[in-house]
Amino acid sequence: MGRCRGNAWWQGRFRGCGYRVTAGREIILDALTKTDKHLSAEDIYLSVKKACPGIGLATVYRTLEILVEMGLVLKFDFGDGRARYELAESPDKRANHHHHLICTSCKRVIDYTDFIEDEVELLRKTEKGLSAKYNFDIKNHVIQFYGICEKCRRK
Amino acid sequence: MGRCRGNAWWQGRFRGCGYRVTAGREIILDALTKTDKHLSAEDIYLSVKKACPGIGLATVYRTLEILVEMGLVLKFDFGDGRARYELAESPDKRANHHHHLICTSCKRVIDYTDFIEDEVELLRKTEKGLSAKYNFDIKNHVIQFYGICEKCRRK
DNA sequence: CCCTTATTGATAATGGTTCTCATTATCAAT
DNA sequence: ATTGATAATGAGAACCATTATCAATAAGGG
């Protein structure tokens, strides 16, 4: 995995948190970096298995847990019984801030970035107010709209 | 259950959707009406069992599924492995619109209503825009802030 | 190179949720 | 009030995403 120059920044963060840098962790983070889809743990497992056949599903779960805890990855629930993971914003990958539009009928998810500027502005204010009032250290937020998508509406 | 005069409105909605009104459904909706907590299916099961000992857990799940689908109840995931349910706004119970502040460490949830006016205003606009652009029929939304609560920070 | 210890893979266990099916209850039509 | 079609129920098994276990392995400081 010598080709991963751009990964130095998170390797430092890993070691800074007392975690070791392993091939499995590198390749899992790689898989998340190379997609804009909402992958489940199993999606990631299958994807990673191609380059690293020996990897186990438990390692994927364990790594994801760490990544979420470190704030590198966001974990979502779209209501289909399994968690989904997405790379959070990073030095490598900026301006990907978005929210989700979820069809409760077919579970399809649309990422939208429209109106994000206004939302972000309001959320910043809200976050600040809430942090102060409740003494909460806010790390991130989730906004999701639920409804019925175009296809499902036509039925 | 003759005392439940105020429930006439949802009984009509039930039948309008082709569902039958049963004692179990009444008492489950009752339990949700009488609390402002975030109950899990099992919480509701145990609570309802007191007044209706014969009720089964599966019935609770089935009823909740219907209530969520009808939009009477909202289903949340706070990251502790079980779904939580809350009565949505209703003719009986207005002005309870709120969002959640979730501690990722101890899973404590704080309801907040601060800044709700601004949020609601922005969301209304966003919702409108998204509906038009993606041809989505938006039913509701979720806003959640994740972070570390006061108690957990002190450790 | 060694030693401590975190990490791993395989697999069993867990636990929330859903499914199955025979029985019961609802309610529109009679 | 009675009936009949069928939706709803309770008990428990099944399902399946996620976690825990544990012996073997690998990371990385010394």
Side-chain angles (χ1 to χ4, degrees):
Chain A
M1 285 286 127
R3 63 186 155 77
C4 301
R5 286 288 152 270
N7 289 336
W9 70 272
W10 64 257
Q11 294 195 3
R13 254 184 93 172
F14 248 88
R15 280 192 265 259
C17 291
Y19 295 121
R20 293 178 181 174
V21 173
T22 69
R25 287 171 182 180
E26 269 188 292
I27 205 168
I28 288 168
L29 201 39
D30 242 38
L32 285 163
T33 306
K34 293 205 176 86
T35 186
D36 58 351
K37 296 201 178 74
H38 320 100
L39 302 178
S40 67
E42 197 179 0
D43 290 337
I44 294 167
Y45 171 62
L46 293 174
S47 154
V48 156
K49 221 173 164 52
K50 283 181 246 166
C52 186
I55 202 163
L57 181 56
T59 297
V60 173
Y61 275 105
R62 281 183 293 231
T63 301
L64 287 170
E65 189 183 1
I66 290 174
L67 291 171
V68 168
E69 186 228 299
M70 288 176 64
L72 294 177
V73 166
L74 300 175
K75 183 178 182 179
F76 294 97
D77 168 46
F78 295 149
D80 64 345
R82 71 196 59 197
R84 305 288 176 153
Y85 300 86
E86 272 183 51
L87 200 63
E89 290 155 276
S90 73
D92 290 353
K93 193 180 182 180
R94 280 194 184 287
N96 67 335
H97 192 77
H98 62 271
H99 295 304
H100 301 295
L101 206 51
I102 303 162
C103 177
T104 52
S105 173
C106 68
K107 310 298 180 191
R108 196 157 69 100
V109 176
I110 295 176
D111 292 358
Y112 73 89
T113 53
D114 316 272
F115 320 105
I116 283 291
E117 311 76 35
D118 291 340
E119 277 184 25
V120 167
E121 174 55 25
L122 176 69
L123 287 173
R124 194 191 316 284
K125 269 199 318 197
T126 306
E127 220 164 275
K128 203 170 166 182
L130 292 176
S131 291
K133 176 160 182 180
Y134 297 104
N135 237 304
F136 233 80
D137 180 19
I138 294 179
K139 291 281 173 51
N140 56 59
H141 63 258
V142 167
I143 298 188
Q144 297 183 161
F145 286 96
Y146 292 91
I148 308 293
C149 76
E150 188 172 11
K151 275 183 195 163
C152 291
R153 285 173 75 181
R154 280 203 284 257
K155 291 168 194 168
Chain B
M1 287 286 127
R3 61 185 155 80
C4 304
R5 286 288 153 270
N7 288 337
W9 70 272
W10 63 257
Q11 295 195 2
R13 253 184 93 173
F14 248 87
R15 280 192 264 260
C17 291
Y19 296 120
R20 294 176 181 175
V21 173
T22 68
R25 288 172 180 179
E26 269 187 295
I27 206 168
I28 288 169
L29 201 39
D30 241 38
L32 284 162
T33 305
K34 294 205 175 88
T35 186
D36 58 352
K37 294 201 180 74
H38 319 101
L39 301 178
S40 67
E42 198 179 0
D43 289 338
I44 294 167
Y45 171 63
L46 293 175
S47 154
V48 156
K49 221 173 164 51
K50 281 181 248 164
C52 186
I55 202 163
L57 181 54
T59 296
V60 174
Y61 275 104
R62 282 183 294 231
T63 301
L64 287 171
E65 189 183 359
I66 290 174
L67 292 171
V68 168
E69 187 228 298
M70 288 177 63
L72 293 178
V73 166
L74 300 175
K75 181 179 182 178
F76 293 97
D77 168 45
F78 295 149
D80 65 345
R82 71 197 59 195
R84 305 288 176 152
Y85 301 85
E86 272 184 50
L87 200 63
E89 291 154 275
S90 73
D92 289 353
K93 192 180 183 181
R94 280 194 185 286
N96 67 334
H97 192 76
H98 63 271
H99 294 305
H100 301 296
L101 207 51
I102 303 162
C103 177
T104 52
S105 174
C106 69
K107 311 297 180 192
R108 197 157 69 98
V109 177
I110 295 176
D111 293 357
Y112 73 88
T113 52
D114 316 273
F115 319 104
I116 281 292
E117 312 74 36
D118 291 339
E119 276 184 24
V120 167
E121 174 56 23
L122 176 68
L123 288 173
R124 193 190 317 283
K125 269 201 317 200
T126 305
E127 220 164 277
K128 204 169 168 182
L130 291 175
S131 291
K133 175 160 183 180
Y134 297 104
N135 237 305
F136 233 81
D137 180 19
I138 294 179
K139 292 280 175 52
N140 57 59
H141 63 258
V142 167
I143 298 188
Q144 296 183 161
F145 286 96
Y146 292 92
I148 308 293
C149 75
E150 189 171 12
K151 275 183 195 162
C152 291
R153 286 173 74 180
R154 280 203 284 258
K155 292 171 193 167

Short mmCIF file of all heavy atoms in Angstrom, two decimals, chain A residues 61-110:
data_model
loop_
_atom_site.label_atom_id
_atom_site.label_comp_id
_atom_site.label_asym_id
_atom_site.label_seq_id
_atom_site.Cartn_x
_atom_site.Cartn_y
_atom_site.Cartn_z
N TYR A 61 -16.30 -4.46 10.79
CA TYR A 61 -17.12 -3.82 11.82
C TYR A 61 -16.26 -3.09 12.84
O TYR A 61 -16.55 -1.96 13.23
CB TYR A 61 -17.99 -4.86 12.52
CG TYR A 61 -19.29 -5.15 11.80
CD1 TYR A 61 -19.46 -6.33 11.09
CD2 TYR A 61 -20.35 -4.24 11.84
CE1 TYR A 61 -20.64 -6.60 10.42
CE2 TYR A 61 -21.53 -4.52 11.18
CZ TYR A 61 -21.68 -5.69 10.48
OH TYR A 61 -22.85 -5.96 9.83
N ARG A 62 -15.19 -3.76 13.27
CA ARG A 62 -14.35 -3.14 14.29
C ARG A 62 -13.70 -1.87 13.77
O ARG A 62 -13.63 -0.85 14.47
CB ARG A 62 -13.28 -4.14 14.75
CG ARG A 62 -13.83 -5.16 15.72
CD ARG A 62 -12.73 -6.10 16.22
NE ARG A 62 -12.21 -6.95 15.16
CZ ARG A 62 -12.10 -8.28 15.24
NH1 ARG A 62 -12.48 -8.92 16.33
NH2 ARG A 62 -11.59 -8.97 14.25
N THR A 63 -13.24 -1.93 12.54
CA THR A 63 -12.60 -0.75 11.96
C THR A 63 -13.59 0.39 11.79
O THR A 63 -13.29 1.55 12.10
CB THR A 63 -11.97 -1.11 10.60
OG1 THR A 63 -11.02 -2.15 10.80
CG2 THR A 63 -11.29 0.09 9.98
N LEU A 64 -14.77 0.06 11.31
CA LEU A 64 -15.78 1.10 11.13
C LEU A 64 -16.11 1.77 12.46
O LEU A 64 -16.30 2.98 12.53
CB LEU A 64 -17.04 0.51 10.49
CG LEU A 64 -16.90 0.15 9.01
CD1 LEU A 64 -18.10 -0.65 8.53
CD2 LEU A 64 -16.70 1.40 8.16
N GLU A 65 -16.18 0.97 13.50
CA GLU A 65 -16.50 1.53 14.81
C GLU A 65 -15.46 2.57 15.21
O GLU A 65 -15.79 3.65 15.69
CB GLU A 65 -16.53 0.39 15.84
CG GLU A 65 -17.06 0.83 17.19
CD GLU A 65 -17.01 -0.30 18.22
OE1 GLU A 65 -16.55 -1.41 17.86
OE2 GLU A 65 -17.39 -0.06 19.36
N ILE A 66 -14.20 2.22 14.97
CA ILE A 66 -13.11 3.16 15.30
C ILE A 66 -13.20 4.42 14.44
O ILE A 66 -13.08 5.54 14.93
CB ILE A 66 -11.74 2.49 15.07
CG1 ILE A 66 -11.52 1.41 16.14
CG2 ILE A 66 -10.62 3.51 15.11
CD1 ILE A 66 -10.26 0.59 15.91
N LEU A 67 -13.43 4.22 13.16
CA LEU A 67 -13.49 5.36 12.24
C LEU A 67 -14.62 6.31 12.60
O LEU A 67 -14.47 7.53 12.53
CB LEU A 67 -13.65 4.86 10.80
CG LEU A 67 -12.43 4.13 10.22
CD1 LEU A 67 -12.77 3.48 8.89
CD2 LEU A 67 -11.26 5.09 10.07
N VAL A 68 -15.74 5.73 13.00
CA VAL A 68 -16.87 6.57 13.41
C VAL A 68 -16.52 7.32 14.69
O VAL A 68 -16.75 8.52 14.81
CB VAL A 68 -18.14 5.72 13.61
CG1 VAL A 68 -19.23 6.52 14.30
CG2 VAL A 68 -18.64 5.19 12.27
N GLU A 69 -15.94 6.60 15.62
CA GLU A 69 -15.58 7.22 16.90
C GLU A 69 -14.58 8.36 16.70
O GLU A 69 -14.63 9.38 17.37
CB GLU A 69 -15.01 6.15 17.83
CG GLU A 69 -14.73 6.63 19.24
CD GLU A 69 -13.35 6.19 19.68
OE1 GLU A 69 -13.09 4.98 19.74
OE2 GLU A 69 -12.51 7.09 19.94
N MET A 70 -13.67 8.17 15.73
CA MET A 70 -12.67 9.21 15.45
C MET A 70 -13.26 10.36 14.65
O MET A 70 -12.61 11.39 14.45
CB MET A 70 -11.49 8.62 14.68
CG MET A 70 -10.60 7.72 15.52
SD MET A 70 -9.30 6.98 14.50
CE MET A 70 -8.37 8.43 14.02
N GLY A 71 -14.44 10.15 14.12
CA GLY A 71 -15.08 11.21 13.34
C GLY A 71 -14.69 11.21 11.88
O GLY A 71 -15.04 12.12 11.14
N LEU A 72 -13.94 10.21 11.44
CA LEU A 72 -13.55 10.15 10.03
C LEU A 72 -14.68 9.64 9.15
O LEU A 72 -14.72 9.89 7.95
CB LEU A 72 -12.33 9.23 9.84
CG LEU A 72 -11.02 9.68 10.47
CD1 LEU A 72 -9.93 8.65 10.27
CD2 LEU A 72 -10.60 11.02 9.85
N VAL A 73 -15.57 8.89 9.78
CA VAL A 73 -16.66 8.27 9.02
C VAL A 73 -17.98 8.56 9.73
O VAL A 73 -18.02 8.61 10.96
CB VAL A 73 -16.41 6.75 8.89
CG1 VAL A 73 -17.66 6.02 8.43
CG2 VAL A 73 -15.25 6.48 7.94
N LEU A 74 -19.03 8.73 8.94
CA LEU A 74 -20.36 8.95 9.51
C LEU A 74 -21.20 7.70 9.32
O LEU A 74 -21.12 7.03 8.30
CB LEU A 74 -21.02 10.13 8.82
CG LEU A 74 -20.30 11.47 8.93
CD1 LEU A 74 -21.01 12.53 8.11
CD2 LEU A 74 -20.19 11.90 10.39
N LYS A 75 -21.99 7.40 10.32
CA LYS A 75 -22.84 6.21 10.30
C LYS A 75 -24.30 6.65 10.18
O LYS A 75 -24.73 7.51 10.93
CB LYS A 75 -22.63 5.45 11.61
CG LYS A 75 -23.38 4.15 11.74
CD LYS A 75 -23.03 3.50 13.08
CE LYS A 75 -23.71 2.16 13.26
NZ LYS A 75 -23.34 1.52 14.54
N PHE A 76 -25.02 6.07 9.24
CA PHE A 76 -26.41 6.46 9.03
C PHE A 76 -27.36 5.28 9.14
O PHE A 76 -26.97 4.14 8.90
CB PHE A 76 -26.57 7.07 7.63
CG PHE A 76 -25.86 8.37 7.45
CD1 PHE A 76 -24.60 8.40 6.87
CD2 PHE A 76 -26.44 9.55 7.87
CE1 PHE A 76 -23.92 9.61 6.71
CE2 PHE A 76 -25.78 10.75 7.71
CZ PHE A 76 -24.51 10.78 7.13
N ASP A 77 -28.58 5.62 9.46
CA ASP A 77 -29.65 4.63 9.46
C ASP A 77 -30.72 5.09 8.49
O ASP A 77 -31.37 6.10 8.73
CB ASP A 77 -30.25 4.48 10.86
CG ASP A 77 -31.54 3.69 10.84
OD1 ASP A 77 -31.57 2.63 10.18
OD2 ASP A 77 -32.52 4.12 11.46
N PHE A 78 -30.90 4.35 7.42
CA PHE A 78 -31.91 4.73 6.43
C PHE A 78 -33.17 3.89 6.56
O PHE A 78 -34.03 3.89 5.70
CB PHE A 78 -31.34 4.60 5.01
CG PHE A 78 -30.20 5.55 4.72
CD1 PHE A 78 -29.20 5.21 3.83
CD2 PHE A 78 -30.14 6.79 5.35
CE1 PHE A 78 -28.15 6.08 3.57
CE2 PHE A 78 -29.09 7.67 5.09
CZ PHE A 78 -28.09 7.32 4.20
N GLY A 79 -33.25 3.12 7.62
CA GLY A 79 -34.47 2.38 7.90
C GLY A 79 -34.61 1.06 7.18
O GLY A 79 -35.69 0.49 7.12
N ASP A 80 -33.51 0.54 6.65
CA ASP A 80 -33.61 -0.76 5.98
C ASP A 80 -32.92 -1.86 6.78
O ASP A 80 -32.55 -2.90 6.24
CB ASP A 80 -33.05 -0.69 4.56
CG ASP A 80 -31.56 -0.38 4.56
OD1 ASP A 80 -31.05 0.05 5.60
OD2 ASP A 80 -30.91 -0.58 3.52
N GLY A 81 -32.72 -1.60 8.06
CA GLY A 81 -32.22 -2.65 8.94
C GLY A 81 -30.71 -2.83 8.98
O GLY A 81 -30.21 -3.72 9.65
N ARG A 82 -29.98 -2.03 8.23
CA ARG A 82 -28.53 -2.12 8.33
C ARG A 82 -27.94 -0.71 8.31
O ARG A 82 -28.53 0.20 7.71
CB ARG A 82 -27.96 -2.96 7.20
CG ARG A 82 -28.02 -2.30 5.84
CD ARG A 82 -27.82 -3.33 4.76
NE ARG A 82 -28.87 -4.34 4.84
CZ ARG A 82 -28.79 -5.54 4.25
NH1 ARG A 82 -27.74 -5.88 3.57
NH2 ARG A 82 -29.80 -6.39 4.34
N ALA A 83 -26.81 -0.54 8.97
CA ALA A 83 -26.19 0.77 9.02
C ALA A 83 -25.44 1.06 7.73
O ALA A 83 -25.00 0.12 7.05
CB ALA A 83 -25.24 0.84 10.21
N ARG A 84 -25.34 2.32 7.40
CA ARG A 84 -24.60 2.75 6.21
C ARG A 84 -23.48 3.67 6.65
O ARG A 84 -23.64 4.43 7.62
CB ARG A 84 -25.52 3.51 5.25
CG ARG A 84 -26.74 2.74 4.86
CD ARG A 84 -26.40 1.63 3.94
NE ARG A 84 -27.57 0.82 3.64
CZ ARG A 84 -27.69 0.14 2.50
NH1 ARG A 84 -26.73 0.18 1.59
NH2 ARG A 84 -28.76 -0.60 2.31
N TYR A 85 -22.39 3.63 5.89
CA TYR A 85 -21.22 4.42 6.27
C TYR A 85 -20.77 5.30 5.12
O TYR A 85 -20.80 4.89 3.95
CB TYR A 85 -20.09 3.48 6.70
CG TYR A 85 -20.47 2.60 7.86
CD1 TYR A 85 -21.13 1.39 7.67
CD2 TYR A 85 -20.18 3.00 9.17
CE1 TYR A 85 -21.50 0.58 8.74
CE2 TYR A 85 -20.55 2.20 10.25
CZ TYR A 85 -21.20 0.99 10.03
OH TYR A 85 -21.57 0.21 11.09
N GLU A 86 -20.33 6.50 5.48
CA GLU A 86 -19.83 7.46 4.50
C GLU A 86 -18.62 8.17 5.08
O GLU A 86 -18.62 8.49 6.27
CB GLU A 86 -20.87 8.55 4.23
CG GLU A 86 -21.85 8.25 3.17
CD GLU A 86 -22.77 9.44 2.95
OE1 GLU A 86 -22.27 10.56 2.76
OE2 GLU A 86 -23.99 9.23 3.00
N LEU A 87 -17.65 8.42 4.24
CA LEU A 87 -16.52 9.20 4.68
C LEU A 87 -17.00 10.59 5.07
O LEU A 87 -17.77 11.21 4.35
CB LEU A 87 -15.51 9.31 3.52
CG LEU A 87 -14.09 9.68 3.89
CD1 LEU A 87 -13.48 8.59 4.78
CD2 LEU A 87 -13.25 9.87 2.65
N ALA A 88 -16.53 11.07 6.20
CA ALA A 88 -16.86 12.44 6.58
C ALA A 88 -15.97 13.37 5.76
O ALA A 88 -15.11 12.93 5.03
CB ALA A 88 -16.61 12.63 8.07
N GLU A 89 -16.20 14.64 5.89
CA GLU A 89 -15.33 15.58 5.18
C GLU A 89 -13.90 15.41 5.67
O GLU A 89 -13.67 15.14 6.84
CB GLU A 89 -15.80 17.01 5.45
CG GLU A 89 -17.12 17.30 4.76
CD GLU A 89 -17.88 18.39 5.47
OE1 GLU A 89 -18.58 18.07 6.44
OE2 GLU A 89 -17.75 19.54 5.05
N SER A 90 -12.96 15.56 4.77
CA SER A 90 -11.55 15.37 5.13
C SER A 90 -10.71 16.34 4.34
O SER A 90 -11.22 16.98 3.41
CB SER A 90 -11.14 13.95 4.78
OG SER A 90 -11.02 13.83 3.37
N PRO A 91 -9.44 16.47 4.67
CA PRO A 91 -8.55 17.33 3.90
C PRO A 91 -8.54 16.93 2.42
O PRO A 91 -8.45 17.77 1.54
CB PRO A 91 -7.19 17.09 4.53
CG PRO A 91 -7.50 16.69 5.93
CD PRO A 91 -8.78 15.92 5.86
N ASP A 92 -8.65 15.63 2.18
CA ASP A 92 -8.63 15.13 0.81
C ASP A 92 -9.93 15.45 0.07
O ASP A 92 -9.94 15.68 -1.13
CB ASP A 92 -8.48 13.61 0.78
CG ASP A 92 -7.10 13.20 1.22
OD1 ASP A 92 -6.26 14.10 1.40
OD2 ASP A 92 -6.88 11.99 1.37
N LYS A 93 -10.99 15.37 0.78
CA LYS A 93 -12.29 15.33 0.13
C LYS A 93 -13.21 16.36 0.77
O LYS A 93 -13.94 16.05 1.71
CB LYS A 93 -12.86 13.91 0.34
CG LYS A 93 -14.06 13.56 -0.52
CD LYS A 93 -14.49 12.12 -0.20
CE LYS A 93 -15.66 11.69 -1.04
NZ LYS A 93 -16.10 10.33 -0.75
N ARG A 94 -13.15 17.56 0.26
CA ARG A 94 -13.96 18.62 0.84
C ARG A 94 -15.25 18.80 0.05
O ARG A 94 -15.47 18.17 -0.97
CB ARG A 94 -13.18 19.93 0.83
CG ARG A 94 -12.20 20.01 1.97
CD ARG A 94 -11.70 21.45 2.13
NE ARG A 94 -10.69 21.51 3.18
CZ ARG A 94 -10.96 21.40 4.47
NH1 ARG A 94 -12.19 21.23 4.89
NH2 ARG A 94 -9.97 21.47 5.36
N ALA A 95 -16.04 19.73 0.53
CA ALA A 95 -17.21 20.18 -0.23
C ALA A 95 -18.11 19.02 -0.63
O ALA A 95 -18.75 19.04 -1.67
CB ALA A 95 -16.77 20.92 -1.49
N ASN A 96 -18.15 18.00 0.17
CA ASN A 96 -19.06 16.90 -0.12
C ASN A 96 -20.20 16.89 0.90
O ASN A 96 -20.89 15.91 1.04
CB ASN A 96 -18.33 15.57 -0.11
CG ASN A 96 -17.85 15.21 1.29
OD1 ASN A 96 -17.65 16.08 2.12
ND2 ASN A 96 -17.70 13.94 1.56
N HIS A 97 -20.32 18.00 1.59
CA HIS A 97 -21.36 18.06 2.61
C HIS A 97 -22.73 17.96 1.96
O HIS A 97 -23.05 18.71 1.06
CB HIS A 97 -21.25 19.38 3.39
CG HIS A 97 -22.09 19.39 4.62
ND1 HIS A 97 -21.72 18.72 5.77
CD2 HIS A 97 -23.28 19.95 4.89
CE1 HIS A 97 -22.65 18.89 6.68
NE2 HIS A 97 -23.62 19.63 6.18
N HIS A 98 -23.52 17.05 2.44
CA HIS A 98 -24.84 16.88 1.84
C HIS A 98 -25.76 16.25 2.88
O HIS A 98 -25.32 15.80 3.93
CB HIS A 98 -24.75 15.96 0.63
CG HIS A 98 -24.27 14.59 0.96
ND1 HIS A 98 -22.93 14.25 0.96
CD2 HIS A 98 -24.93 13.47 1.33
CE1 HIS A 98 -22.81 12.99 1.30
NE2 HIS A 98 -24.00 12.49 1.55
N HIS A 99 -27.05 16.23 2.54
CA HIS A 99 -28.00 15.55 3.40
C HIS A 99 -28.79 14.55 2.58
O HIS A 99 -28.55 14.42 1.39
CB HIS A 99 -28.90 16.57 4.10
CG HIS A 99 -28.15 17.46 5.04
ND1 HIS A 99 -27.38 16.97 6.06
CD2 HIS A 99 -28.02 18.81 5.09
CE1 HIS A 99 -26.83 17.97 6.71
NE2 HIS A 99 -27.19 19.11 6.15
N HIS A 100 -29.72 13.86 3.25
CA HIS A 100 -30.38 12.75 2.58
C HIS A 100 -31.89 12.90 2.47
O HIS A 100 -32.55 13.41 3.36
CB HIS A 100 -30.07 11.45 3.32
CG HIS A 100 -28.61 11.14 3.40
ND1 HIS A 100 -27.84 10.88 2.30
CD2 HIS A 100 -27.77 11.08 4.45
CE1 HIS A 100 -26.60 10.66 2.67
NE2 HIS A 100 -26.51 10.78 3.98
N LEU A 101 -32.37 12.40 1.35
CA LEU A 101 -33.79 12.36 1.04
C LEU A 101 -34.09 10.87 0.89
O LEU A 101 -33.56 10.22 -0.01
CB LEU A 101 -33.97 13.07 -0.31
CG LEU A 101 -35.25 13.74 -0.71
CD1 LEU A 101 -35.73 14.68 0.38
CD2 LEU A 101 -35.03 14.52 -2.01
N ILE A 102 -34.91 10.32 1.79
CA ILE A 102 -35.09 8.88 1.83
C ILE A 102 -36.51 8.48 1.49
O ILE A 102 -37.46 8.97 2.09
CB ILE A 102 -34.75 8.35 3.24
CG1 ILE A 102 -33.32 8.76 3.61
CG2 ILE A 102 -34.93 6.85 3.32
CD1 ILE A 102 -33.04 8.68 5.08
N CYS A 103 -36.63 7.56 0.54
CA CYS A 103 -37.97 7.06 0.21
C CYS A 103 -38.32 5.93 1.17
O CYS A 103 -37.65 4.91 1.22
CB CYS A 103 -38.00 6.53 -1.23
SG CYS A 103 -39.62 5.83 -1.64
N THR A 104 -39.39 6.13 1.92
CA THR A 104 -39.76 5.14 2.93
C THR A 104 -40.38 3.91 2.30
O THR A 104 -40.57 2.90 2.96
CB THR A 104 -40.76 5.74 3.94
OG1 THR A 104 -41.84 6.31 3.22
CG2 THR A 104 -40.11 6.80 4.79
N SER A 105 -40.69 4.01 1.03
CA SER A 105 -41.29 2.87 0.35
C SER A 105 -40.23 1.94 -0.23
O SER A 105 -40.18 0.77 0.08
CB SER A 105 -42.24 3.36 -0.74
OG SER A 105 -42.71 2.28 -1.51
N CYS A 106 -39.33 2.48 -1.06
CA CYS A 106 -38.32 1.62 -1.70
C CYS A 106 -36.94 1.79 -1.08
O CYS A 106 -35.99 1.15 -1.51
CB CYS A 106 -38.26 1.89 -3.20
SG CYS A 106 -37.60 3.53 -3.63
N LYS A 107 -36.82 2.65 -0.08
CA LYS A 107 -35.56 2.86 0.65
C LYS A 107 -34.47 3.54 -0.18
O LYS A 107 -33.30 3.53 0.21
CB LYS A 107 -35.01 1.53 1.20
CG LYS A 107 -35.99 0.69 1.97
CD LYS A 107 -36.48 1.39 3.20
CE LYS A 107 -37.47 0.52 3.96
NZ LYS A 107 -38.16 1.25 5.01
N ARG A 108 -34.85 4.05 -1.34
CA ARG A 108 -33.87 4.76 -2.16
C ARG A 108 -33.43 6.02 -1.43
O ARG A 108 -34.21 6.65 -0.73
CB ARG A 108 -34.51 5.13 -3.50
CG ARG A 108 -33.52 5.51 -4.58
CD ARG A 108 -34.12 5.31 -5.96
NE ARG A 108 -35.18 6.26 -6.23
CZ ARG A 108 -35.02 7.37 -6.98
NH1 ARG A 108 -33.84 7.62 -7.51
NH2 ARG A 108 -36.02 8.17 -7.20
N VAL A 109 -32.17 6.36 -1.59
CA VAL A 109 -31.63 7.54 -0.93
C VAL A 109 -31.07 8.51 -1.96
O VAL A 109 -30.29 8.10 -2.82
CB VAL A 109 -30.51 7.16 0.05
CG1 VAL A 109 -29.90 8.40 0.67
CG2 VAL A 109 -31.05 6.24 1.13
N ILE A 110 -31.48 9.75 -1.88
CA ILE A 110 -30.93 10.78 -2.76
C ILE A 110 -30.10 11.72 -1.90
O ILE A 110 -30.57 12.20 -0.87
CB ILE A 110 -32.07 11.58 -3.43
CG1 ILE A 110 -32.86 10.67 -4.38
CG2 ILE A 110 -31.51 12.77 -4.18
CD1 ILE A 110 -34.06 11.37 -5.02
#
